[in-house]
């Protein structure tokens, strides 16, 4: 019998075959029981059963496991990972105060780098093979270089959403240093570029110039929309009237919009990035999947920011499916009815997590499904000792409601194995941990101990007690 496969077997140029997995292809082949997937170079070379493979191919025993396309996150403020968990008790107003007035005054390019490095490592570690970095703190191209440096050190697939929330988008996109930076930016399959900015209510829609810059330079735009009270139907109305709504736009959240706005997004081919943990906690409106599906708008999933909530993509899938059903139930109960059949299925969530993400990034020809000819971005969920991983009866449901990050056995990006048998290959956490520790130390000392503590624990008025006419007595 051959020796068991080890991490050291995955040498550059060597083909890899995953054997006997339950393969969720997310294409027309559906779910393949006892399926094999052959990877040569950076590409999926064959998908089927009992595949014949070239001599020297590394065999991965994927039996008892589920092989899925790598997950795609279409909106993550990766730089904020440097302060992971700091704002877990915030409301939206505290977030704005902290990032605009306090942290916004002090952070440096190395703080962007630190957060991005940790976040990028976390993405690939947990099977998120492509992440859009909604990087809205790039004050100057020097900050953007720091963001990109992290992506050069972690071999995942990334898209930099270039943004600068401390400036006006029609000004910073017109800046010659920014424009020169974009011209020099070498886009590749591993690193893409978009423009990231929001459209708050205004009379004259100055953001039009930023949309035109993006269009003229072939760049997609990602924008927060339908954040209750902040980016509303007014902005969508301006965008539509100006003709800048196209299939090149991703609308993040889109939780508090009118039917007309959803129709405009649908009619122009836009996609929505749903960040359920974020929408539920920050008061942006109800997670929009239940609404946008009425209009046929495709959704992708995202984590938003781990300064507040988790970056656990399994949590996003679970929360999205549950919130969608919860809303359907509430709507039915309002009419004195009950939901007889759940409309959203686990399979729909898996689609959002993979192909929906690929579509939102304009990469549906390259990633998002296990299809011959596509880039080999793969996630193997297999944990033979986990009670949660047996039996596997309904694979799509199993991924959404049963599996978790501890079941991430193997992660492959662009044909390169980054994690095998539950352990990353040559991607130590040390550099990211040290960079983040230095960043925390710096921010904390700049803010001062009192502001740091108050920022973490927003003051709370005592609850008003309701008079209770009933009394308990022995
Ligand atoms: Zn966001």
């Amino acid at each position: 019998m051959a020796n068991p496969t080890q991490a050291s077997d995955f040498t550059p140029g060597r083909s890899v075959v995953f054997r006997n997995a339950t393969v969720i292809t997310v294409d027309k082949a559906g779910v393949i029981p006892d399926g094999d997937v052959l990877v040569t170079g950076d590409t999926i070379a064959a998908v089927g059963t009992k595949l014949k493979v070239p001599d020297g191919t590394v065999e991965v025993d994927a039996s008892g496991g589920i092989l899925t396309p790598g997950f795609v996150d279409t909106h993550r403020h990766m730089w904020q990972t440097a302060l992971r968990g700091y704002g877990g008790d915030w409301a939206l107003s505290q977030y704005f105060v902290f990032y605009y007035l306090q942290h916004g005054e002090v952070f440096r390019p190395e703080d962007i780098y630190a957060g991005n490095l940790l976040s990028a490592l976390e993405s690939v570690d947990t099977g998120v093979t492509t992440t859009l970095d909604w990087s809205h703190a790039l004050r100057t191209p020097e900050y953007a270089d720091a963001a990109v440096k992290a992506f050069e050190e972690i071999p995942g697939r990334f898209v930099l959403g270039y943004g600068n929330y401390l400036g006006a988008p029609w000004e910073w996109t017109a800046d010659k240093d920014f424009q020169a930076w974009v011209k020099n930016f070498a886009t590749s399959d591993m690193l893409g570029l978009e423009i990231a900015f929001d459209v708050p209510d205004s009379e004259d829609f100055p953001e039009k110039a930023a949309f035109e810059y993006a269009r003229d330079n072939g760049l997609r735009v990602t924008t927060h929309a339908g954040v209750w009270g902040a980016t509303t139907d007014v902005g969508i109305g301006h965008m539509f009237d100006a003709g800048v709504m196209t299939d090149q736009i991703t609308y993040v959240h889109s939780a508090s919009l009118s039917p007309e706005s959803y129709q405009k997004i649908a009619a122009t081919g836009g996609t929505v990035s749903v960040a359920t943990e974020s929408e539920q906690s920050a008061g942006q409106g109800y997670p929009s999947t239940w609404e946008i599906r009425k209009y046929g708008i495709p959704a992708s999933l995202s984590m938003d920011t781990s300064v507040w909530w988790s970056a656990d993509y399994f949590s996003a899938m679970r929360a999205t499916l549950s919130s969608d059903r919860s809303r359907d139930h509430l709507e039915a109960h309002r009419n004195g009815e009950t939901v007889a059949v759940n409309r959203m299925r686990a399979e729909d969530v898996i689609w959002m997590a993979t192909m929906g993400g690929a579509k939102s990034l304009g990469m549906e020809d390259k990633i998002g499904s296990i299809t011959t000819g596509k880039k080999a971005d793969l996630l193997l969920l297999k944990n033979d000792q986990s009670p949660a991983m047996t039996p596997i009866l309904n694979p799509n449901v199993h991924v959404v409601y049963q599996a978790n990050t501890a079941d991430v056995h193997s992660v492959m990006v662009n044909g390169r194995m980054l994690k095998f048998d539950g352990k990353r290959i040559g991607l130590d956490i040390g550099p990211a941990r040290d960079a983040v520790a230095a960043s925390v130390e710096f921010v904390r000392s700049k803010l001062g101990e009192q502001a740091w503590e108050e920022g973490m624990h927003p003051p709370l008025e005592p609850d008003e007690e309701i008079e209770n006419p009933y009394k308990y007595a022995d």
Side-chain angles (χ1 to χ4, degrees):
M1 192 183 157
N3 291 330
T5 300
Q6 298 172 10
S8 57
D9 294 331
F10 300 101
T11 49
R14 217 172 149 187
S15 305
V16 177
V17 65
F18 294 84
R19 290 281 193 203
N20 301 313
T22 298
V23 181
I24 299 179
T25 63
V26 199
D27 72 7
K28 56 185 183 317
V31 176
I32 305 173
D34 298 318
D36 295 353
V37 175
L38 173 66
V39 175
T40 58
D42 60 7
T43 305
I44 297 170
V47 183
T49 53
K50 301 191 170 47
L51 292 177
K52 289 213 166 46
V53 301
D55 287 346
T57 298
V58 189
E59 300 260 341
V60 175
D61 172 15
S63 59
I66 303 173
L67 192 69
T68 73
F71 297 142
V72 180
D73 184 323
T74 54
H75 152 244
R76 193 180 294 201
H77 306 290
M78 297 176 79
W79 65 288
Q80 295 181 339
T81 308
L83 295 179
R84 176 193 299 286
Y86 177 86
D89 285 332
W90 282 346
L92 201 55
S93 54
Q94 282 120 19
Y95 172 86
F96 286 136
V97 167
F98 184 82
Y99 276 109
Y100 281 82
L101 303 176
Q102 297 178 310
H103 189 266
E105 288 290 306
V106 300
F107 69 90
R108 309 155 300 173
E110 52 260 57
D111 302 314
I112 301 282
Y113 165 76
N116 272 30
L117 191 65
L118 185 63
S119 184
L121 184 64
E122 183 175 26
S123 280
V124 299
D125 186 55
T126 54
V128 181
T129 52
T130 301
T131 311
L132 180 130
D133 178 22
W134 220 103
S135 194
H136 54 342
L138 306 181
R139 293 173 161 184
T140 66
E142 198 190 348
Y143 283 76
D145 287 338
V148 168
K149 183 165 176 268
F151 301 145
E152 289 165 353
E153 293 172 20
I154 304 292
R157 210 180 287 282
F158 300 101
V159 177
L160 179 71
Y162 194 121
N164 174 10
Y165 73 124
L166 297 167
W170 57 94
E171 287 173 2
W172 58 257
T173 55
D175 179 78
K176 65 177 181 1
D177 290 341
F178 164 79
Q179 295 191 350
W181 189 92
V182 171
K183 251 194 185 72
N184 284 330
F185 187 85
T187 308
S188 71
D189 285 340
M190 297 302 291
L191 184 59
L193 183 65
E194 296 194 8
I195 303 291
F197 60 88
D198 297 340
V199 185
D201 295 3
S202 70
E203 300 229 320
D204 51 352
F205 187 45
E207 295 83 2
K208 185 176 176 216
F211 281 107
E212 287 169 349
Y213 169 81
R215 182 199 61 204
D216 294 346
N217 289 276
L219 298 168
R220 297 182 61 95
V221 171
T222 174
T223 184
H224 295 93
V227 175
W228 189 86
T231 49
T232 69
D233 294 318
V234 175
I236 298 285
H238 284 317
M239 287 172 65
F240 188 77
D241 293 344
V244 299
M245 284 178 84
T246 67
D247 62 0
Q248 299 297 297
I249 316 272
T250 298
Y251 304 84
V252 175
H253 304 307
S254 301
S256 304
L257 295 172
S258 66
E260 290 73 26
S261 289
Y262 291 122
Q263 281 168 338
K264 287 169 184 170
I265 293 171
T268 53
T271 64
V272 165
S273 173
V274 177
T276 301
E277 279 194 52
S278 167
E279 285 123 28
Q280 289 189 316
S281 195
Q284 289 153 158
Y286 203 88
S288 62
T289 52
W290 73 286
E291 185 102 85
I292 62 176
R293 73 172 125 81
K294 295 184 219 159
Y295 301 94
I297 301 170
S300 62
L301 303 184
S302 61
M303 302 305 319
D304 202 342
T305 172
S306 49
V307 72
W308 226 322
W309 32 77
S310 85
D312 177 344
Y313 204 86
F314 293 88
S315 173
M317 291 192 290
R318 240 167 246 171
T320 300
L321 187 53
S322 296
S323 75
D324 190 280
R325 291 175 176 178
S326 183
R327 184 62 184 238
D328 268 359
H329 291 302
L330 288 170
E331 294 293 322
H333 295 174
R334 215 194 297 277
N335 300 323
E337 293 166 1
T338 188
V339 172
V341 177
N342 278 327
R343 196 164 293 278
M344 187 188 266
R345 301 300 169 97
E347 189 179 352
D348 300 326
V349 176
I350 300 287
W351 187 90
M352 292 172 191
T354 54
M355 275 309 291
K359 192 171 167 51
S360 166
L361 300 176
M363 297 173 80
E364 62 265 52
D365 295 338
K366 291 196 175 84
I367 59 168
S369 66
I370 302 182
T371 305
T372 302
K374 279 197 174 179
K375 298 291 179 191
D377 290 4
L378 299 168
L379 164 60
L380 175 62
L381 298 165
K382 171 179 157 94
N383 188 346
D384 295 341
Q385 287 302 315
S386 168
M389 288 301 284
T390 192
I392 294 170
L393 305 176
N394 186 336
N396 283 295
V397 165
H398 212 98
V399 173
V400 176
Y401 270 149
Q402 303 298 330
N404 66 68
T405 54
D407 305 319
V408 175
H409 178 287
S410 298
V411 178
M412 176 180 271
V413 182
N414 210 43
R416 176 171 166 187
M417 203 67 122
L418 305 186
K419 185 171 189 174
F420 177 70
D421 201 13
K423 292 187 197 70
R424 290 188 305 275
I425 302 172
L427 290 168
D428 184 43
I429 195 172
R433 189 175 49 209
D434 295 348
V436 163
S439 187
V440 169
E441 182 61 35
F442 172 76
V443 173
R444 190 170 182 162
S445 67
K446 278 287 182 189
L447 293 185
E449 208 51 28
Q450 192 182 345
W452 173 263
E453 280 299 320
E454 285 173 4
M456 200 163 2
H457 304 293
L460 183 64
E461 297 293 321
D463 284 340
E464 205 177 306
E465 247 180 65
I466 298 169
E467 184 83 32
N468 190 341
Y470 305 101
K471 300 284 179 220
Y472 174 77
D474 288 334

